[in-house]
């Protein structure tokens, strides 16, 4: 089964590049965004004309203990844990996922400006080849994922508000058996002024949710 989609928008360092630069092995190269650490409680940070770095509450939700459970499931079956980061922006959520143990990540955002600024061009950033960025929206990504019959994900994170129907569909279609999807979900369909964070399993069952978090 194919595991690679059409060529990503941004390629991270290759093994050859790493060896030529400092002699390090690929395992020594972490994912690092220059935007990491700029997030703040309550307030979003402007990462580019098109993209904000979300308030820190969003990243606290990513580190929920429920999102760690797919790691052990993947490793038990001999797989490297895989994550899909939707609305990756400047790569802050990508770094949280990488540090949790999801070392294969597809980062997706309709605009590549923040990724270019904080991951591609920032001198403090680093990016292993297992992290790939795709400049497209979530629906186009799903269409390409379907056409390539790519591997399913152990965790999916939405960094922007969605309706419950979309979160449910992505969970049921793109998650591996014991996978989890986290999303800020509109409390009413197409009502974009108030969301609640929810975690779904691969059947679409809601395992955890917060109270209303306001507009996201």
């Amino acid at each position: 089964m194919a595991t690679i989609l059409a060529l990503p928008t941004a390629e991270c360092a290759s093994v050859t590049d790493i060896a030529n630069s400092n002699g390090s092995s690929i395992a020594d190269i972490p994912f690092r965004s220059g935007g990491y650490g700029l997030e703040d409680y309550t307030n979003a940070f402007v990462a580019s004309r098109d993209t904000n770095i979300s308030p820190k509450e969003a990243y606290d939700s990513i580190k929920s203990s429920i999102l760690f459970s797919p790691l052990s499931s993947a490793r038990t079956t001999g797989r490297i844990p895989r994550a899909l980061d939707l609305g990756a922006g400047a790569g802050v959520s990508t770094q949280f996922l990488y540090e949790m143990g999801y070392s294969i990540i597809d980062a997706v955002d309709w605009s590549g400006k923040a990724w270019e600024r904080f991951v591609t061009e920032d001198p403090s950033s680093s990016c292993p080849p297992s992290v790939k960025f795709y400049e497209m929206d979530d629906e186009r990504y799903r269409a390409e994922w379907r056409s390539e019959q790519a591997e399913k994900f152990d965790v999916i994170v939405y960094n922007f508000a969605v309706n419950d129907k979309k979160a449910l569909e992505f969970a049921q279609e793109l998650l591996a058996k014991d996978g989890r999807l986290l999303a800020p979900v509109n409390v009413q369909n197409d009502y974009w002024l108030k969301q609640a964070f929810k975690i779904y399993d691969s059947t679409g069952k809601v395992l955890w949710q917060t109270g209303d978090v306001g507009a996201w």
Side-chain angles (χ1 to χ4, degrees), residues 3-52:
T3 60
I4 300 175
L5 296 175
L7 289 176
T9 306
E11 289 280 10
C12 293
S14 69
V15 176
T16 302
D17 292 337
I18 293 166
N20 288 343
S21 63
N22 59 14
S24 300
S25 70
I26 186 62
D28 296 329
I29 305 301
F31 180 85
R32 166 69 185 171
S33 164
Y36 188 87
L38 298 179
E39 67 279 2
D40 190 16
Y41 284 110
T42 305
N43 299 311
F45 172 83
V46 177
S48 75
R49 184 170 58 86
D50 305 309
T51 310
N52 288 339

Side-chain angles (χ1 to χ4, degrees), residues 159-164 183-198 209-216:
N159 293 286
F160 54 90
V162 294
N163 286 324
D164 181 75
V185 177
N186 293 325
V187 297
Q188 298 177 37
N189 196 45
D190 291 332
Y191 182 72
W192 305 97
L193 299 179
K194 188 177 290 186
Q195 290 82 38
F197 275 105
K198 294 184 180 182
Q209 71 178 75
T210 64
D212 298 347
V213 294
W216 206 251

Side-chain angles (χ1 to χ4, degrees), residues 10 35 56 81 88 90 110 121 124 146 163 166 168 170 175 180 188 209:
K56 203 170 189 301
W110 72 272
E121 297 179 350
S124 69
R146 285 172 175 167
N163 286 324
K166 172 172 281 193
L168 184 68
F170 270 70
L175 281 178
R180 302 288 185 263
Q188 298 177 37
Q209 71 178 75

